[in-house]
Structure formats: C-alpha cells, structure tokens
Amino acid sequence: MVRIITDTSSMYSSAEAEAAGFAVAPLQISVGGTTYRELNEIGSDEFVQLLAQGQMPTSSQPALSDVMALYEACGEDEALNIAMADGLSGTYATAVAARELVANGNRIEVINTGTLCGPHRYMVEIAAKMARAGATLQQIKDKCTR
C-alpha cells in the first residue's frame, strides 16, 4: 500500500484528509501573537476580527516533528509526500529533511509540486485515488510529475 502525505497548502485540513484516506502536515499560521497549526484552530469570526484590528497573519512550513511523525506512522508502507512548491515555502525542504531523519526514509518519496492550492489539491486527489486503486509508488509519482 502506498500512503499519500501532503501539507495544508493543498487546501485540506487534517480531518478532511483523514476522511479522504491520506495524511496532511499542517502549515503554521501566526496572527495576533498566537501560532496555530491549522487555520481551523481559530474560528473564522475571530480571524476576521484580528484582521480588522490590523493584525497581519504570517505562515510557515509544517514543523519538522509533525512531518517526521507522519512518516513514522507509515511503518513499512511506501509513502509519497506531495509538497508545496519549493520556491514558495520551505515545506518541500522540511519534507526532504524529515525523510532523512526517520528509519523508514528509504520508502518515502517527496515531490515538489511547483505549485500550491488548487493545482496542489488536484495532484493530491489523483494520487490518493491511485493509491486506493492499488497503484505503485512509481506509477503515482510518474502521474504527479508529468
């Protein structure tokens, strides 16, 4: 079985990803002096209020420890991490670094989507569908990197 992993740039929350059969590493969002692991940890009303008060949100790649935990949860399964564009975030670099730090890193592939949001989400949806259908890691990787 091939496990699919991505980050919240794909526009999936952890709960949505779990329901769809894959895992997501949350980006970190800081606003109003507080850092949230996902935007859904702060209510939209509270978020809008902070913006109205002049608070500017910033985001950061997923925590290395979060990505490592997702990799370790794959156990003996192969995994494909479909990461946000390298030039837009450190997310890809974090995914690669985490792979080097886990015991099962030799069974994990990381691809740089070169994009984010809508196209990133589409790639994840295709990969998850292929994984559920029994495609190999190489087949999924080939489809996502054409």
Side-chain angles (χ1 to χ4, degrees), residues 28 35 49 60 62 72 74-75 100 102 104 112 145:
Q28 299 179 60
T35 299
Q49 284 178 336
S60 181
E72 289 166 345
C74 293
E100 302 304 316
V102 295
N104 60 336
N112 176 4
T145 56

Side-chain angles (χ1 to χ4, degrees), residues 6-78:
T6 191
D7 55 76
T8 50
S9 166
S10 65
M11 300 169 38
Y12 277 102
S13 69
S14 295
E16 291 168 331
E18 184 178 340
F22 58 91
V24 67
L27 296 173
Q28 299 179 60
I29 299 154
S30 296
V31 64
T34 303
T35 299
Y36 303 91
R37 290 183 64 235
E38 290 190 62
L39 191 53
N40 66 2
E41 287 185 344
I42 180 174
S44 57
D45 289 341
E46 181 182 354
F47 185 72
V48 169
Q49 284 178 336
L50 289 168
L51 294 177
Q53 295 169 7
Q55 301 290 331
M56 286 303 284
T58 59
S59 64
S60 181
Q61 70 253 16
L64 181 65
S65 60
D66 287 348
V67 180
M68 289 174 62
L70 291 175
Y71 288 171
E72 289 166 345
C74 293
E76 297 298 315
D77 291 338
E78 292 181 306

